[in-house]
Amino acid sequence: MTHLPALLEEHDLAGALEWLETQPPYAIADEIARMDAVESVITFRLLDKDRALEVFEELDPVDQQQILQGLRDQAFRDLVENMDPDDRARMLKEAPAKVAKRVLAGLSAHERQMTAALLGYPEGSVGRYMTPETVALQQDLTVGQALEVVRRRGAQAETIYTLPVVDRGRRLTGVVELRELVLSEPGAMVSDLVVTEPPRARATDPAEDAARLMRETNVLDLPVVDSEDRLVGLLTSDDAFEVIEAADTEDVARQSGAEPLERHYMSVSVFRLSRVRVMWLMLLMVAATLTVSVTQLFENELNAVTELALFVPLLIGTGGNSGAQAATAAVRALAVGEVRTSDLFRVIWRECRTGLLLGCMLAVVGLFVGSFFVGWDIAGVVAITLVVICAWASTVGGTMPLLAKKLRIDPAVVSAPMVTTLVDATGLVIYFTTAKLVLGV
Amino acid sequence: MTHLPALLEEHDLAGALEWLETQPPYAIADEIARMDAVESVITFRLLDKDRALEVFEELDPVDQQQILQGLRDQAFRDLVENMDPDDRARMLKEAPAKVAKRVLAGLSAHERQMTAALLGYPEGSVGRYMTPETVALQQDLTVGQALEVVRRRGAQAETIYTLPVVDRGRRLTGVVELRELVLSEPGAMVSDLVVTEPPRARATDPAEDAARLMRETNVLDLPVVDSEDRLVGLLTSDDAFEVIEAADTEDVARQSGAEPLERHYMSVSVFRLSRVRVMWLMLLMVAATLTVSVTQLFENELNAVTELALFVPLLIGTGGNSGAQAATAAVRALAVGEVRTSDLFRVIWRECRTGLLLGCMLAVVGLFVGSFFVGWDIAGVVAITLVVICAWASTVGGTMPLLAKKLRIDPAVVSAPMVTTLVDATGLVIYFTTAKLVLGV
């Protein structure tokens, strides 16, 4: 099947319209996300009204506001009025003030109020992702009465599968699943089906923590409460999924020493791509001048045994790789909750032994490889350095993310490149010092 | 609150029992996953029967089979009979043949049949993760009749929120959500509520693709069909979440040049930790001998201008970082579906320009930093090398994951360390060649 951009490029309007009518909304959203601002608005306008809303809901906030800016008033109002309040709040956050004002002005009073409430929560908090439209039940209902409440108020709610149970003061006392109601006799009491003390999140908690809690507890939706334990919304599993995916993408980018891209990889400009990368690259290069100083410090040794220079890239490369492995493992284990900051000393001990073991294995190979290029004495220096460097790099790599977390810095900022750069400089010291001791230069 | 290991270490049995009675199942599972084999079985035996099943369901397959091995017959049978068929199939896959045989022998005929069917699907396929226990509806029912079917057969099913609709030959014709049934009049027809041509997966498809499709289409559960489009099960969103999390963990590990750990980071042995890392580390070190050869090749230039050696770690480090950024971005964009293999040339063009831009910015800083240590001529060589190395590294880093995918290799195998190692050797060639041309040595 021909892709949309090809059809547009050939000015095949009939073909493009047919493509847009037959493809599912997520596939259309995918194509739009890859386009630049002008193309995406043109394509969007080709959609009929119902499909337009479906496609719009699949887009990222940044793409959404780009499209809104290109729409006339009626189409604009229809779209924003029909969005979920949490999606709308997130989109508004990304929009320029002018667009945001236009959005809020166009909304019905009810929708405007909900959106404004969500915008009151801090960025990245549960409140920004939850849906405020829930069906809450009182504990003293029968199953039949409860189902009646669900029927009456369910059309408004984003989900009716998880039904929070609240007391007279709207304080969360439990949760009942729609499944339980449907499978029970109408005369049974809701109170007999309720799960009391359910896992919950505060609206001001970080959304990532709440999403991870949902994963651990395997609940479909998580009740969200305020500081007095009053129900304010539900975090649904698709929003939780989105939160975790965004957090993982951010972690992955940070691990390579880059800031996360806020938009689709194929649609951001080269300048933006460079901007998210240049800061760390620059910082790391400046930090790497330490290696220049260290090498200068040992210039005499290097001049006395020029063959030492041959192994510098191999040794610091191996040290860097070994440190990167440990750092990446530690960052991931922290992210999914396998390692806690209180495990610091156990992690040091684990990584130090792992690094030593790895170093010994590499040293055997390194000795033979080295002897192929230089004498056994220098090859011996290379082998010893490999053992020490690996133990050191693994320990540093495994420890730094935990230390970062203790200092309340995102552990993912302790990226593989950062560990590599640190290990480069210290690895040189290890190498030249070993050479000095063994060769007596 | 004191943690469980501390209580056990102090032989505070009463304290441990109280801890086990008051903590939620996932927290207990978390502690058990961190323990060694003996500790975990002892802890598990302290749980009462109902809690034991809840905790057991939260554990990973490898931990599950470890615990089963330590249980007596009755407790053993109770546990496995009550597991979900898909969880049981995955656990069996990890178990030694002896344990697997004991499990299958202990099951009721019905459960054994379902498990055997799931085990027939290839590893990592949708069939291994789906639940075969669904409530399927016929299209010609009224809503009232459909709800009656759900009530009668729902207790057996893992979920009743997504109800696949099938024809007389059990071929999937649509999907209806329980939500729609509950919110409609009993006299309405199911056929009016059905979503036709719903997204679906084949049981033999890779589970990761199906899970990503669920994310894109925002469905709660995905119908699973056989090669003739007959319904065989449902992939639920919690299983999809698990699939994606495992895939991401694997990608992250691969990106640092390590194989993924199959168990909890804190409970695996140092030998296992080393085993997942040593293969790539060794391979990369051997590949790094290329840098030794290259350095040897340019030994004359290096001896003529010994100051060139000062900048080797800085230059190859920066090239490596820049390549790692591009490679990581490309791997992630491929994983979440933002980049396709057909984008190869667009990615090359993007990364080449990005790398040039980054290189120019770094070169300005590099020139001044360099002039601090050496003369302007050598600093100039460093600056020029930075531009070329960054453009080259970004292009290579961004391209290799796409090429890997074209060759049907997991793109994540093109790890940052692999790109770094490749860029190390080629970077040296760039550096020394530039020096030769500029300085005329």
Side-chain angles (χ1 to χ4, degrees), chain B residues 6 41 146 274 344 359 401:
Chain B
V41 172
S274 308
L344 182 63

Side-chain angles (χ1 to χ4, degrees), chain B residues 210-404:
Chain B
R212 300 259 181 223
L213 178 68
M214 285 174 72
R215 279 296 303 136
E216 293 213 19
T217 55
N218 271 325
V219 296
L220 200 55
D221 310 287
L222 189 72
V224 182
V225 295
D226 65 13
S227 58
E228 271 141 64
D229 223 22
R230 281 182 306 235
L231 181 75
V232 291
L234 271 182
L235 186 60
T236 58
S237 52
D238 59 335
D239 286 329
F241 214 124
E242 196 182 289
V243 167
I244 290 192
E245 199 171 57
D248 282 351
T249 298
E250 194 177 299
D251 276 6
V252 168
R254 291 245 162 92
Q255 272 293 288
S256 75
E259 287 303 305
L261 276 178
E262 267 159 39
R263 283 203 49 175
H264 196 292
Y265 173 84
M266 293 304 290
S267 72
V268 296
S269 66
V270 167
F271 290 100
R272 206 184 190 99
L273 262 185
S274 308
R275 218 177 62 192
V276 299
R277 295 181 188 173
V278 72
M279 204 261 289
W280 276 107
L281 215 50
M282 195 73 87
L283 217 74
L284 291 169
M285 190 183 77
V286 172
T289 53
L290 206 60
T291 61
V292 183
S293 307
V294 170
T295 314
Q296 221 170 24
L297 203 69
F298 290 96
E299 223 167 4
N300 289 338
E301 287 78 7
L302 206 51
N303 284 335
V305 193
T306 51
E307 284 137 317
L308 286 176
L310 294 178
F311 297 95
V312 166
L314 181 142
L315 287 171
I316 62 178
T318 303
N321 290 341
S322 159
Q325 288 179 332
T328 307
V331 168
R332 184 67 184 170
L334 278 170
V336 299
E338 288 186 357
V339 166
R340 307 166 187 150
T341 49
S342 57
D343 290 325
L344 182 63
F345 291 103
R346 291 176 64 193
V347 169
I348 293 182
W349 180 227
R350 294 182 79 80
E351 288 295 343
C352 176
R353 284 178 300 159
T354 306
L356 268 177
L357 189 58
L358 287 171
C360 291
M361 292 190 267
L362 293 181
V364 176
V365 180
L367 190 65
F368 285 97
V369 169
S371 69
F372 185 79
F373 293 96
V374 291
W376 286 99
D377 50 350
I378 297 181
V381 171
V382 169
I384 296 170
T385 306
L386 277 170
V387 177
V388 184
I389 270 189
C390 279
W392 166 242
S394 292
T395 312
V396 169
T399 313
M400 278 176 62
L402 272 89
L403 289 177

Side-chain angles (χ1 to χ4, degrees), chain A residues 206-272:
Chain A
E208 189 184 346
D209 294 353
R212 300 254 181 226
L213 178 67
M214 285 175 73
R215 278 296 302 137
E216 293 215 18
T217 54
N218 271 326
V219 296
L220 200 54
D221 310 288
L222 190 71
V224 182
V225 295
D226 67 12
S227 59
E228 271 140 65
D229 222 23
R230 280 182 306 235
L231 181 74
V232 291
L234 271 182
L235 186 59
T236 58
S237 52
D238 59 334
D239 286 329
F241 214 125
E242 196 182 290
V243 168
I244 290 191
E245 200 171 55
D248 281 351
T249 298
E250 194 177 299
D251 276 6
V252 168
R254 292 244 161 92
Q255 270 295 287
S256 76
E259 287 303 305
L261 277 177
E262 267 160 41
R263 283 203 48 174
H264 197 292
Y265 174 84
M266 294 303 290
S267 72
V268 298
S269 66
V270 166
F271 290 99
R272 205 184 190 99

Side-chain angles (χ1 to χ4, degrees), chain A residues 29 35 46 61 72 78 80 133 182 201 206 237 250 299 323 342 372:
Chain A
M35 295 176 174
L46 291 177
R72 263 174 292 237
D78 283 349
V80 291
E133 300 173 299
V182 168
S237 52
E250 194 177 299
E299 224 167 5
S342 57
F372 184 79

Side-chain angles (χ1 to χ4, degrees), chain A residues 160-173:
Chain A
I160 58 171
Y161 295 145
T162 302
L163 304 161
V165 177
V166 295
D167 66 12
R168 303 277 161 208
R170 230 186 136 67
R171 264 186 301 273
L172 181 75
T173 60

